[in-house]
Amino acid sequence: MLIVVTSGSKGGTGKSTVALGLSAILSLRGFGHELFDYSCSLGVCTGVYYYLSDFVDGVNRLSKLVRVRQGLPPQGYDGLAIVDLPPQ
């Protein structure tokens, strides 16, 4: 398993945007992967799920390309995982 993590200590720095953009590019190029949004696991959805529910057309088109799961990759996950962590 290969894990790419976006993390940082401050909110609003583009962590979720980078994770979502990377996932969209990989989808367009045919690479198998999954995007995991860990912020919803803590009770507040401020990450990728927040952006995919936005009403901007360009962002809504991304929701058709990107497969998002909540939490961290399950034990034994085999593949490329992009993990978006909340500010810490």
Side-chain angles (χ1 to χ4, degrees), residues 21-56:
L22 179 59
S23 182
I25 289 168
L26 291 174
S27 292
L28 288 170
R29 296 195 178 194
F31 287 97
H33 70 285
E34 288 196 42
L35 174 58
F36 295 89
D37 187 355
Y38 190 63
S39 66
C40 284
S41 299
L42 301 175
V44 180
C45 291
T46 58
V48 175
Y49 274 96
Y50 176 80
Y51 288 110
L52 289 180
S53 67
D54 201 335
F55 293 105
V56 179

Side-chain angles (χ1 to χ4, degrees), residues 6-21 48 51 83-88:
T6 58
S7 69
S9 60
K10 184 178 178 302
T13 58
K15 295 179 294 294
S16 297
T17 303
V18 168
L20 187 58
V48 175
Y51 288 110
V83 180
D84 181 37
L85 295 178
Q88 299 175 15

